[in-house]
Amino acid sequence: MKDNLPLWTPSDQFRRSTPMFAFMQEANRRYSQELNSFSDLHAWSINSRADFWTAVWDFCGIKGDRGERPLINPDRMLEASFFPDASLNFAENLLSTSGTGDALVFRGEDKVSYRWSWDHLHEVVSKLQQALRALGIGEGDRIAAMMPNLPETVAFMLAAASIGAIWSSCSPDFGEQGVMDRFGQIEPKLFIACSGYWYNSKLQNIASKVGAIAGRLGVPTVIVPYAGGVTSALDATPGARLLEDFTKPYGAKPVEFTRLPFSHPLFILFSSGTTGVPKCIVHSAGGSLLQLVKEHRLHCGVVPGDKVFYFTTCGWMMWNWLVVGLAAGATLCLYDGSPFAPDGKVLFDYAQAEGFAVFGTSAKYIDAVRKSGLTPMTSHDLSALRLMTSTGSPLSPEGFSFVYEGIKNNVQLASISGGTDIVSCFVLGNPLSPVWRGEIQGPGLGLAMDVWDDQGRPVRQEKGELVCTTAFPSMPVMFWNDPGKAKYKAAYFERFDNLWCHGDFAEWTEHDGLIIHGRSDATLNPGGVRIGTAEIYNQVEQLPEVEEALCIGQDWDDDVRVVLFVRLASGVDLDESLSKTIRDKIRIGASPRHVPAKIIAVPEIPRTKSGKIVELAVREIVHGRPVKNMEALANPEALAHFGNRPQLRT
């Protein structure tokens, strides 16, 4: 495909059929505007924030009393407050649909499948709500879950939110200390866990881990049967109750919703924790709801009855993102396990069977499908698929091309980026603008996103820091156990005064799109020139000999040199010829400054639980410094391949 042409352009008929277009027309009518394009709409959304967020509340049908004041202290990011007089309940907004239609569809690899209607979801949430209240759990109390991505997990979260409790979750593959590093900080009043789970077609029995964590937390525990091991989980956890026994005393009745202030805490999410104990990031009910409903309804165009899928675990903020699809009346398609079990077609089989309208996944998954030789475009009926989204790491230009050449040629592809810090996106897709190869379509509505250089000046078509210059609703309420917000301020506001600095290395394009070049703290700096690691990955991972790569800067001879680690395809050796091929590919595709001084083959790349490669941890190992929190890694043993390498001593 030619780079001077967009990969996808919305037809006028498509544009006019979208909720974003309808919203734009409503803004024109209500506020006497003349908005005709996404850039018009975005400019209005940041120049008239109070009007914009009021319009989002009304257009998206938020249930609650929004009060008279949309925004106070608008010019001070840390003092700004959205809808300070409002009252609402997060769960009430997600449970506004009823009936016998599907609310939740679930598949656990090829082992388990079932579906819940809206009415059944209401019934389960009601019983859980009654059980939580019987335990004395109420507003502000924490509930912690180590669970797969099950319908029961969604129901527990909704029950917690319905009474004003604070929800926190992780996936069951976390180690005992990794769970305690998170939940031990927030002192929950209830612990929820599964008895086991499936991964890569194998049963993972976690009974002893559940018992150990429950014992250390010292709180009531509920065991949710899923993949066997129920008896051993109960034996290992004295006093624990099965889910069925937990709810048995209670009959079905309408769910009661406690309406609370807009800023009332809803979720505690955790930073990756690869450089220390994870930060506990507290997000509000109102801010999370308003921001995510905006993304689902306007940016993703979700309408009632759409099937929405995101491949995620309960330890990644995309799970919190996904569940808000219920507020749009969508059916959530949940999946737990490996995306390649029993084979690489499993998610596309699921998409075909259910008719996904939205298929969300990671950039690494798209690249893995590309390298596997699968072409879903020819093997599957994806006629219902309207939007494919990608996040977790920057999607390479080749990944963009593959979606249109191998998956579907007329789908909107939205590369998105934001994170745990804002439980949403700073930059993402929109249905009114073209998709260009290698570019995120643009900023989120209501977000004054920009790219600044080291001197604090806005730059165009030049790499710099991703910043947000005004307050937005889904800024964290606080960090847990952070007196005076010291850690909070240090995380986002230390670099520039009164300005959110996100920690991404980014660039505006000529099409008003964005490219994310990697995390700022992983940016390479050879000879004083800042280089994003994604720029190197985009080149080297095109080579069929290279499965994946990880790049760091090594302190060397009073400077920094680029070191590239590669995991090679089966049967491939890193000889002089392949090393030259890699260097030539990077030199031609990126620049001579990007060419690594050292290329080293490793059998495995270390990753976080959510699948992100951990450049900082490898950098610490290479420099002989300890990694502070090994429990944050899915495969900590992989770090052994990076220490004491003789190639790094010359």
Side-chain angles (χ1 to χ4, degrees), residues 557-571:
D557 197 20
D558 297 324
D559 196 358
V560 174
R561 67 179 181 181
V562 179
V563 178
L564 177 67
F565 298 95
V566 291
R567 181 172 71 85
L568 300 174
S570 178

Side-chain angles (χ1 to χ4, degrees), residues 279-605:
K279 294 187 290 288
C280 307
I281 304 171
V282 184
H283 287 290
S284 70
S288 301
L289 177 68
L290 199 61
Q291 173 78 330
L292 293 177
V293 164
K294 177 207 73 177
E295 292 187 356
H296 278 273
R297 293 280 287 119
L298 303 186
H299 285 273
C300 296
V302 176
V303 297
D306 272 354
K307 299 284 185 70
V308 176
F309 169 82
Y310 221 105
F311 179 69
T312 181
T313 72
C314 297
W316 190 21
M317 55 77 49
M318 290 312 301
W319 182 84
N320 307 77
W321 186 97
L322 172 64
V323 296
V324 179
L326 293 172
T331 299
L332 305 189
C333 295
L334 311 178
Y335 182 87
D336 195 78
S338 167
F340 293 97
D343 56 47
K345 298 184 295 183
V346 63
L347 295 188
F348 293 102
D349 291 345
Y350 194 10
Q352 174 178 285
E354 295 297 334
F356 292 176
V358 179
F359 186 133
T361 186
S362 67
K364 287 294 182 185
Y365 174 76
I366 291 173
D367 192 54
V369 172
R370 178 177 70 89
K371 290 188 173 181
S372 73
L374 293 172
T375 53
M377 182 183 290
T378 58
S379 59
H380 290 77
D381 177 6
L382 301 176
S383 53
L385 184 61
R386 181 184 73 248
L387 173 68
M388 191 162 192
T389 67
S390 166
T391 192
S393 59
L395 182 64
S396 68
E398 290 66 38
F400 273 79
S401 295
F402 172 72
V403 167
Y404 287 93
E405 294 166 355
I407 297 178
K408 190 174 183 181
N409 61 11
N410 62 344
V411 71
Q412 180 192 354
L413 172 60
S415 179
I416 67 178
S417 182
T420 301
D421 311 82
I422 63 169
V423 73
S424 58
C425 304
F426 270 127
V427 292
L428 68 168
N430 78 76
L432 307 183
S433 305
V435 173
W436 295 87
R437 185 175 185 263
E439 300 181 18
I440 298 172
Q441 282 181 281
L445 292 174
L447 298 172
M449 217 287 302
D450 208 350
V451 178
W452 282 21
D453 65 16
D454 290 342
Q455 286 72 47
R457 298 172 301 197
V459 292
R460 303 286 298 191
Q461 297 183 52
E462 181 181 320
K463 301 180 187 73
E465 292 286 347
L466 182 71
V467 300
C468 195
T469 61
T470 60
F472 50 95
S474 64
M475 291 169 60
V477 179
M478 60 181 174
F479 288 175
W480 199 257
N481 293 328
D482 181 24
K485 292 192 172 183
K487 294 178 182 176
Y488 182 24
K489 293 173 184 175
Y492 312 116
F493 298 99
E494 209 167 59
R495 182 75 184 275
F496 302 113
D497 180 52
N498 194 37
L499 188 98
W500 180 290
C501 187
H502 194 56
D504 277 343
F505 197 41
E507 178 182 4
W508 286 108
T509 73
E510 62 179 310
H511 309 116
D512 294 326
L514 276 297
I515 298 171
I516 304 294
H517 292 287
R519 293 292 294 170
S520 296
D521 53 12
T523 298
L524 310 173
N525 202 26
V529 178
R530 298 183 79 192
I531 293 173
T533 53
E535 300 171 80
I536 294 174
Y537 303 148
N538 286 345
Q539 299 304 318
V540 70
E541 291 181 357
Q542 292 181 47
L543 299 171
E545 297 92 341
V546 179
E547 292 289 345
E548 60 180 346
L550 184 149
C551 196
I552 67 159
Q554 182 192 15
D555 297 337
W556 190 259
D557 197 20
D558 297 324
D559 196 358
V560 174
R561 67 179 181 181
V562 179
V563 178
L564 177 67
F565 298 95
V566 291
R567 181 172 71 85
L568 300 174
S570 178
V572 175
D573 293 321
L574 183 64
D575 54 20
E576 284 299 322
S577 175
L578 179 55
S579 293
K580 183 178 186 302
T581 298
I582 292 171
R583 288 190 169 95
D584 289 346
K585 179 70 175 171
I586 295 170
R587 180 180 291 105
I588 295 168
S591 81
R593 288 188 177 274
H594 291 72
V595 175
K598 298 285 183 177
I599 304 175
I600 300 171
V602 291
E604 191 177 9
I605 300 286

Side-chain angles (χ1 to χ4, degrees), residues 3 11 26 84 119 183 190 201 227 423 426 506 519 572 590 596 621 625 630 633 639:
D3 285 352
S11 67
E26 174 63 15
D119 286 348
F183 296 161
L190 178 68
S201 299
V423 73
F426 270 127
R519 293 292 294 170
V572 175
I621 290 290
R625 299 187 289 260
M630 302 284 274
L633 304 182
L639 288 175

Side-chain angles (χ1 to χ4, degrees), residues 37-259:
S37 64
F38 177 78
S39 59
D40 290 345
L41 181 59
H42 182 261
W44 173 73
S45 76
I46 59 175
N47 292 327
S48 304
R49 281 179 295 157
D51 290 345
F52 169 73
W53 289 110
T54 299
V56 170
W57 182 301
D58 294 344
F59 182 86
C60 294
I62 300 297
K63 292 182 179 295
D65 177 3
R66 63 174 166 81
E68 293 298 320
R69 297 180 296 171
L71 175 61
I72 60 174
N73 299 322
D75 298 328
R76 297 297 303 171
M77 289 197 80
L78 284 165
E79 285 81 43
S81 178
F82 287 86
F83 301 101
D85 311 312
S87 63
L88 56 78
N89 185 275
F90 182 84
E92 181 180 8
N93 282 273
L94 272 63
L95 290 171
S96 58
T97 303
S98 59
T100 58
D102 289 334
L104 303 171
V105 178
F106 173 71
R107 288 194 183 187
E109 295 191 348
D110 60 343
K111 309 296 183 185
V112 184
S113 64
Y114 56 96
R115 57 187 66 224
W116 285 9
S117 70
W118 287 98
D119 286 348
H120 184 68
L121 176 59
H122 277 262
E123 179 182 342
V124 175
V125 172
S126 174
K127 291 180 178 180
L128 288 172
Q129 179 189 75
Q130 295 172 68
L132 294 176
R133 282 179 168 157
L135 276 179
I137 294 174
E139 295 175 23
D141 291 331
R142 280 77 62 206
I143 295 175
M146 184 178 72
M147 285 286 290
N149 185 14
L150 304 178
E152 288 86 348
T153 313
V154 177
F156 258 115
M157 182 277 294
L158 291 170
S162 72
I163 60 175
I166 305 173
W167 175 263
S168 194
S169 61
C170 70
S171 56
D173 59 338
F174 274 64
E176 177 186 335
Q177 191 56 46
V179 176
M180 289 304 303
D181 284 346
R182 288 159 174 77
F183 296 161
Q185 294 188 69
I186 65 172
E187 301 175 298
K189 284 200 171 181
L190 178 68
F191 177 52
I192 305 156
C194 63
S195 51
Y197 63 96
W198 297 101
Y199 195 82
N200 204 23
S201 299
K202 295 178 181 177
L203 176 63
Q204 310 291 324
N205 188 312
I206 58 170
S208 60
K209 180 169 65 177
V210 170
I213 293 167
R216 292 176 69 180
L217 290 174
V219 297
T221 299
V222 176
I223 304 293
V224 179
Y226 170 47
V230 173
T231 301
S232 56
L234 289 173
D235 289 344
T237 317
R241 284 186 279 176
L242 285 177
L243 175 60
E244 181 183 6
D245 297 327
F246 185 60
T247 58
K248 183 179 282 186
Y250 310 103
K253 66 175 188 176
V255 182
E256 298 175 1
F257 301 105
T258 302
R259 290 190 175 179

